[in-house]
């Protein structure tokens, strides 16, 4: 009996050693090992957005750097979000990479050390496209030239990809919200609400893609088990599947969750759907934009999902009710469906 126990222990030890020997324990730079990329980046982070392509097919890259301007800090955490949207196959692919960046002294080189990658697809066809890989892969460091100018613009790579600031002087947020009385056309509220929803949707995508099992059978992990996740910048969300029949109910509860440095989400986003993903959305998410990020001051917004219907997990009917500083506007569901995200249209 004793020999059998010893043999069992021996086999277990060999099994554990094989597991660890098969893991890549040294693929990350010491800088990356010294910092925890799964901790929120913090309120001093800065955000930049790069949009390329034309309506029909576009690539939107969104980068958040800890402690703001790269030249002010030699190391820090980063988040890179890439959204590829194609009307040709009605698909939206999301990639989210978290890791550490390092800037070599006296150079214009920034090295990114990816720690982990999250990905997901939203599509209205049965054959999603195979998009090229995003900038960098998990565990593979990559170095890019960078420059930073007086307009707060950040460019990376060679040839350079220009990232415009999301907030601050010249920031894209000023396309969404302004007190400029010259903007008085009859459709200004609708245009502003659509632009707001496109920016807000980046934060929503990020909140979903970081959840293991999202959109699949893995969601059963959260059945009667409310599970917290940190925001990329700060704040939290909780995921809960509270019932299975007649429709599965999934709640995303946000508490000051900030995924794009400056837009805090609080509230509840709920889906009720069957096994085919048909059903509806409901509840309301409030958004606060911090006044330290805008020229026009802080503002409050809210998004109501109460009239949105789902087909195959994708919005298929209804309107989002968007309220910005008390002005309520309906935004049609099809402004935010795969293959119809007009991020290039955000540029003036």
């Amino acid at each position: 009996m004793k020999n059998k126990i010893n043999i069992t222990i021996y086999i277990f030890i060999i099994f554990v050693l094989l597991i660890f020997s098969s893991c890549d324990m040294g693929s990350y730079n010491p800088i990356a090992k010294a910092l925890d990329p799964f901790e929120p980046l913090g309120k001093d982070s800065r955000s930049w957005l790069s949009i390329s392509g034309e309506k029909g097919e576009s690539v939107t890259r969104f980068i958040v750097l800890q402690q703001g301007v790269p030249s002010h800090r030699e190391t820090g955490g980063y988040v890179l979000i890439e959204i590829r949207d194609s009307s040709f196959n009605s698909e939206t692919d999301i990639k989210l990479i978290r890791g550490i960046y390092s800037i070599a002294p006296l150079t214009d080189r920034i090295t990114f050390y990816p720690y982990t990658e999250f990905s997901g697809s939203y599509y209205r066809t049965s054959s999603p496209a195979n998009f090229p890989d995003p900038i960098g892969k998990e565990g593979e460091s990559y170095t890019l030239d960078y420059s930073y100018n007086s307009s707060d613009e950040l460019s990376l790579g060679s040839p350079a990809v220009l990232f415009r600031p999301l907030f601050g002087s010249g920031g894209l947020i000023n396309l969404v919200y302004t007190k400029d009385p010259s903007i008085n056309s009859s459709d200004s509220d609708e245009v502003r609400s659509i632009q707001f929803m496109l920016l807000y949707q980046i934060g929503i995508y990020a909140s979903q893609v970081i959840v293991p099992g999202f959109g699949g059978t893995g969601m059963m992990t959260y059945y009667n088990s409310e599970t917290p996740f940190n925001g990329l910048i700060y704040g939290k969300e909780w995921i809960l599947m509270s019932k299975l029949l007649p429709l599965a109910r999934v709640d995303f509860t946000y508490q000051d969750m900030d995924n794009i440095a400056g837009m805090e989400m609080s509230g509840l986003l709920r889906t009720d759907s069957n096994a085919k993903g048909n059903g509806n959305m409901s509840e309301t998410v409030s958004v606060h934009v911090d006044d330290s990020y805008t020229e026009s001051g802080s503002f409050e917004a809210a998004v109501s999902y109460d009239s949105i219907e789902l087909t195959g997990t994708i919005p298929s009917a209804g309107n989002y009710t968007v309220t910005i500083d008390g002005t309520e506007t309906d935004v049609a569901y099809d402004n935010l469906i795969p293959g119809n995200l007009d991020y290039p249209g955000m540029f003036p």
Side-chain angles (χ1 to χ4, degrees):
M1 180 69 177
K2 184 176 181 180
N3 288 336
K4 288 185 178 180
I5 294 175
N6 288 338
I7 291 173
T8 302
I9 295 174
Y10 176 77
I11 292 173
F12 175 75
I13 292 173
I14 293 297
F15 177 70
V16 171
L17 289 174
L18 285 172
I19 290 176
F20 279 95
S21 66
S22 66
C23 296
D24 184 359
M25 304 294 286
S27 60
Y28 299 112
N29 184 278
I31 293 172
K33 291 180 179 179
L35 297 172
D36 182 358
F38 297 99
E39 287 297 313
L41 297 182
K43 288 192 175 185
D44 291 333
S45 302
R46 290 287 304 279
S47 303
W48 290 267
L49 192 66
S50 171
I51 303 173
S52 60
E54 299 177 354
K55 187 171 183 178
E57 191 162 38
S58 65
V59 179
T60 301
R61 291 186 175 98
F62 186 83
I63 192 167
V64 184
L65 299 180
Q66 190 177 36
Q67 302 295 328
V69 182
S71 58
H72 292 178
R73 182 180 172 91
E74 292 185 355
T75 65
Y78 80 94
V79 171
L80 174 66
I81 301 172
E82 185 171 272
I83 301 172
R84 293 177 176 263
D85 188 65
S86 173
S87 64
F88 301 115
N89 55 8
S90 301
E91 180 189 14
T92 299
D93 269 13
I94 313 295
K95 300 277 187 180
L96 189 153
I97 299 174
R98 302 186 66 165
I100 305 300
Y101 70 86
S102 171
I103 298 177
L106 306 178
T107 72
D108 291 328
R109 303 284 283 175
I110 179 169
T111 302
F112 294 92
Y113 302 97
Y115 238 71
T116 191
E117 177 182 311
F118 305 88
S119 63
S121 292
Y122 303 78
Y123 51 90
R124 292 179 288 140
T125 66
S126 59
S127 302
N130 293 316
F131 284 119
D133 290 326
I135 299 175
K137 295 181 180 180
E138 182 177 353
E140 298 179 3
S141 65
Y142 51 100
T143 302
L144 299 173
D145 295 320
Y146 82 93
S147 62
Y148 186 82
N149 62 34
S150 59
S151 299
D152 285 345
E153 293 176 337
L154 175 70
S155 59
L156 293 173
S158 180
V161 176
L162 180 65
F163 285 80
R164 294 182 60 179
L166 185 59
F167 299 98
S169 177
L172 290 174
I173 195 65
N174 290 305
L175 298 176
V176 173
Y177 180 81
T178 180
K179 294 179 180 177
D180 186 348
S182 65
I183 299 181
N184 55 14
S185 63
S186 61
D187 64 349
S188 62
D189 288 335
E190 181 181 3
V191 171
R192 184 174 63 179
S193 295
I194 291 172
Q195 291 173 329
F196 170 82
M197 285 297 292
L198 286 170
L199 293 175
Y200 162 83
Q201 190 66 20
I202 295 175
I204 293 295
Y205 281 146
S207 77
Q208 295 172 341
V209 77
I210 63 174
V211 175
F214 175 74
T217 56
M219 290 299 291
M220 286 298 298
T221 303
Y222 312 106
Y223 180 58
N224 285 337
S225 178
E226 192 170 41
T227 304
F229 293 87
N230 285 330
L232 301 180
I233 314 303
Y234 60 87
K236 285 185 176 294
E237 66 175 332
W238 286 263
I239 314 302
L240 174 65
M241 178 181 282
S242 59
K243 66 177 185 177
L244 297 175
L245 296 172
L247 299 175
R249 170 168 291 177
V250 177
D251 288 345
F252 280 74
T253 302
Y254 304 112
Q255 181 177 327
D256 298 330
M257 190 179 196
D258 188 340
N259 291 327
I260 59 175
M263 298 180 73
E264 301 175 6
M265 303 188 300
S266 295
L268 174 61
L269 171 56
R270 170 173 289 168
T271 62
D272 291 279
S273 60
N274 61 21
K276 294 182 178 180
N278 301 332
N280 60 78
M281 305 176 76
S282 61
E283 305 301 330
T284 299
V285 176
S286 299
V287 183
H288 170 76
V289 177
D290 195 302
D291 59 6
S292 64
Y293 294 92
T294 70
E295 292 179 314
S296 304
S298 63
F299 68 91
E300 306 298 326
V303 180
S304 172
Y305 293 84
D306 287 345
S307 72
I308 296 295
E309 298 177 15
L310 298 173
T311 300
T313 74
I314 301 298
S316 57
N319 297 314
Y320 302 92
T321 302
V322 181
T323 304
I324 299 179
D325 269 357
T327 301
E328 186 175 293
T329 307
D330 285 337
V331 174
Y333 79 94
D334 55 3
N335 284 284
L336 294 174
I337 58 176
N340 203 36
L341 299 177
D342 189 15
Y343 283 106
M346 292 182 62
F347 279 129

